[in-house]
Amino acid sequence: MSLPPDHAGFEAAFHAGLWTREAPRGLDPQRFSAYRNTVQHGLVRALAARFPVVERLVGAPFFAAMGRVFAATHPPASAVLLDWGQDFAAFLARFPPVAGLPYLPDVARLEWLRGLACHAADAPMIDPAALTRADPARLVLGLAPSVQAFASPFPALAIWQANQPGATPAPLPGGPQHALIARDPGLAVVVEPLAPAQHATLTALLQGRPLASAATSDPTPVLALLIRHRLIATVGELP
Amino acid sequence: MIRSCLPARAGLGFKPQHYQDALDAPGALGFFEVHAENYMGAGGAPHAMLERLHRDHALSVHGVGLSIGGAGPLDPDHLARLETLLERHQPESFSEHLAWSSHGAAWLNDLLPLPYTDETLATVCAHVDQVQDRLGRRLLLENPATYVTFATSTWPEVEFLRAIARRTGCGLLLDVNNVFVSATNHGFDPLAYLEGFPLEAVGEIHLAGHEVDAQPGPPLLIDSHARPVADPVWDLFARVLARTGPLPTLIEWDNDVPDFATLRAEAARAETLLHEVRHVAAA
């Protein structure tokens, strides 16, 4: 027996062998396993690069096994691996072996949002003085594409921080936790804790709501963060 | 059609952790090479670093995502992303692989081998034509490192590459480590392979490290890009240069990446060999 002679048949048979224990007909199983290993290892390492704290929390051997399941069931849709992993948090929430770590999907979501912030489009930054020239009651802010709002019922932010290189062990706070995630002008990704009401304001601003209706409480702390990290791209006024 | 115009010097794969080292050493290296797909985000640090780096160094964009050796059509979205990237950074060279790396909607993140038949030759040539037409650039196509061969192949690899270059007008990227890895794995003479290789089409050379797979049985070399270039690969490189004269030469080290000084030492070794043939050519 040998591989199908036609190009499409060959490719389908070779591909099928990458995700089973069976090498395609006509190929040395040991040699073929080198491809199975490089494909699976390569995808797992790409996933680990995107979700390093998830890997640290479950340990590298467990992550490798789990990553192979994810890669087989949710393979990247394109060669742009920066775009791969959007479904990882939802996958973790349904993956029975990690059911005992209920905060894990939120840690994954935080890491995903950091990636979005890191690679989001560049945007021009307004002069903060423009804010003072507009009528506060009619102000509409356009935020930089890197700005993300994060919320978790768990202390996911503290867990993430405690698992950064060089972090010193500290008692974990309780949940929930909220944060603003964005890219600052130095191109570093920043993660700023928010109070729940501030998170609500940020979420409303991200939806394009005018500042006056976005803020259910004093908007100053959120505005201060947005100005400090230069995350306001446009300032408009309602007609 | 834009042709590759990298300087005939040693270059390095750019790693973000070496950004400051690279800036601090303008002129020390002939060029930097990056994987296209790592720069397909919309903005942020990767593009800023690349723009800054390109001010002092020639730039080579090396794609791993087109799946030129795939049976199906090229992904039009990926072609569009490449076009955007090349427009944005205007690199001195663009290269891709004789391999396939996706199947259906799934991207496999590896360079997989194909049988060399009349049918696959026609498909690969159509893909190369499409890429070159779309990008307005002459592509350099890289020879693969392989762990299996196919009973269905009717073309020797060297003749397959020569035919692609002749039919499409593309250039070739000669990865000398890949030649050594494949020769060891399949028991052929790497010198004979290089003897037949269409060196006149080569626009760039790659050198990388490999490792021996731990499996029992005949030796299997894996193209790991995680070690220094092996001595037999340096020897083959010198023999190629003796025939071609100096060519842009990349040290590829993508996994277990060492410090910048170690990479520069590898590049310096390549530069020494390039200098020797430059000297011979001038004499």
Side-chain angles (χ1 to χ4, degrees):
Chain A
M1 292 294 277
S2 62
L3 281 165
D6 66 296
H7 197 171
F10 154 80
E11 190 181 292
F14 194 104
H15 178 258
L18 294 172
W19 298 106
T20 63
R21 291 175 186 278
E22 293 280 307
R25 295 168 314 197
L27 290 183
D28 179 297
Q30 221 170 51
R31 289 295 180 92
F32 183 78
S33 70
Y35 288 110
R36 190 184 290 129
N37 293 343
T38 52
V39 166
Q40 297 188 359
H41 179 74
L43 287 171
V44 166
R45 291 324 304 159
L47 195 66
R50 195 65 192 263
F51 299 97
V53 173
V54 173
E55 183 185 37
R56 194 179 143 98
L57 288 168
V58 300
F62 186 94
F63 188 90
M66 181 169 72
R68 282 194 291 273
V69 175
F70 181 72
T73 54
H74 302 70
S78 87
V80 188
L81 287 170
L82 307 174
D83 293 341
W84 184 45
Q86 182 159 22
D87 304 335
F88 191 50
F91 167 86
L92 292 173
R94 295 187 313 267
F95 191 58
V98 294
L101 308 176
Y103 51 83
L104 200 61
D106 284 351
V107 174
R109 209 155 42 76
L110 192 158
E111 296 200 287
W112 173 254
L113 292 177
R114 290 186 84 255
L116 291 188
C118 179
H119 297 288
D122 301 312
M125 293 305 139
I126 54 115
D127 173 3
L131 282 173
T132 60
R133 289 193 292 268
D135 174 0
R138 296 192 297 143
L139 201 54
V140 182
L141 303 181
L143 304 188
S146 74
V147 178
Q148 317 286 334
F150 174 77
S152 168
F154 303 102
L157 178 56
I159 292 168
W160 178 81
Q161 283 165 334
N163 285 281
Q164 293 309 299
T168 46
L172 283 179
Q177 281 196 319
H178 302 79
L180 173 151
I181 299 172
R183 192 172 74 227
D184 73 10
L187 304 182
V189 175
V190 292
V191 180
E192 294 278 6
L194 297 178
Q198 295 166 356
H199 176 266
T201 302
L202 178 64
T203 304
L205 288 177
L206 282 168
Q207 290 163 349
R209 301 245 306 272
L211 181 64
S213 74
T216 53
S217 60
D218 178 12
T220 313
V222 172
L223 284 178
L225 275 180
L226 293 173
I227 292 168
R228 175 148 65 86
H229 293 302
R230 308 205 59 175
L231 298 172
I232 301 173
T234 62
V235 173
E237 283 186 73
L238 288 176
Chain B
M1 177 105 50
I2 301 172
R3 294 175 73 92
S4 286
C5 54
L6 293 172
R9 294 186 52 200
L12 285 178
F14 171 63
K15 303 297 168 199
Q17 64 266 38
H18 297 151
Y19 178 57
Q20 197 55 51
D21 294 316
L23 290 190
D24 292 344
L29 291 150
F31 64 99
F32 280 101
E33 186 161 293
V34 295
H35 285 177
E37 287 70 17
N38 291 340
Y39 294 83
M40 288 183 174
H47 289 289
M49 286 194 276
L50 211 52
E51 271 160 33
R52 176 64 190 85
L53 206 61
H54 199 184
R55 275 195 244 153
D56 293 337
H57 299 88
L59 178 65
S60 167
V61 169
H62 189 51
V64 298
L66 268 178
S67 207
I68 282 175
L74 297 180
D75 176 358
D77 294 338
H78 200 66
L79 261 180
R81 286 190 288 263
L82 267 177
E83 186 175 38
T84 302
L85 179 69
L86 299 176
E87 278 292 314
R88 181 168 182 171
H89 291 287
Q90 301 286 336
E92 276 69 24
S93 182
F94 172 64
S95 49
E96 253 285 355
H97 296 84
L98 177 60
W100 58 285
S101 45
S102 59
H103 179 70
W107 161 254
L108 299 163
N109 193 32
D110 197 12
L111 300 165
L112 298 168
L114 60 150
Y116 302 137
T117 67
D118 290 350
E119 185 200 2
T120 61
L121 178 63
T123 306
V124 168
C125 286
H127 287 167
V128 171
D129 284 340
Q130 187 186 352
V131 173
Q132 296 192 133
D133 288 350
R134 173 67 183 263
L135 301 179
R137 282 177 172 266
R138 182 178 189 240
L139 160 77
L140 303 180
L141 192 69
E142 178 175 339
N143 60 296
T146 57
Y147 312 137
V148 297
T149 55
F150 303 107
T152 46
S153 285
T154 53
W155 287 72
E157 185 171 285
V158 161
E159 293 311 316
F160 196 79
L161 285 162
R162 182 196 308 281
I164 297 166
R166 196 179 57 233
R167 292 187 194 182
T168 68
C170 78
L172 298 175
L173 193 168
L174 172 58
D175 188 315
V176 180
N177 180 59
N178 287 356
V179 173
F180 183 77
V181 165
S182 292
T184 305
N185 291 344
H186 310 314
F188 65 77
D189 177 5
L191 283 175
Y193 180 103
L194 290 169
E195 192 63 40
F197 202 89
L199 293 178
E200 65 284 357
V202 173
E204 183 184 343
I205 289 184
H206 274 183
L207 302 174
H210 57 255
E211 47 210 286
V212 183
D213 191 83
Q215 296 182 27
L220 176 67
L221 298 187
I222 303 290
D223 177 33
S224 63
H225 295 192
R227 299 177 53 75
V229 177
D231 285 340
V233 174
W234 285 115
D235 292 343
L236 292 172
F237 172 54
R239 284 170 181 259
V240 168
L241 288 187
R243 288 167 57 202
T244 59
L247 283 169
T249 301
L250 179 80
I251 303 294
E252 272 188 308
W253 196 326
D254 297 318
N255 300 304
D256 300 333
V257 177
D259 62 16
F260 194 66
T262 305
L263 293 176
R264 272 192 68 177
E266 287 278 280
R269 187 167 173 184
E271 196 65 64
T272 301
L273 292 167
L274 290 165
H275 183 74
E276 281 170 17
V277 291
R278 214 176 277 129
H279 185 70
V280 170

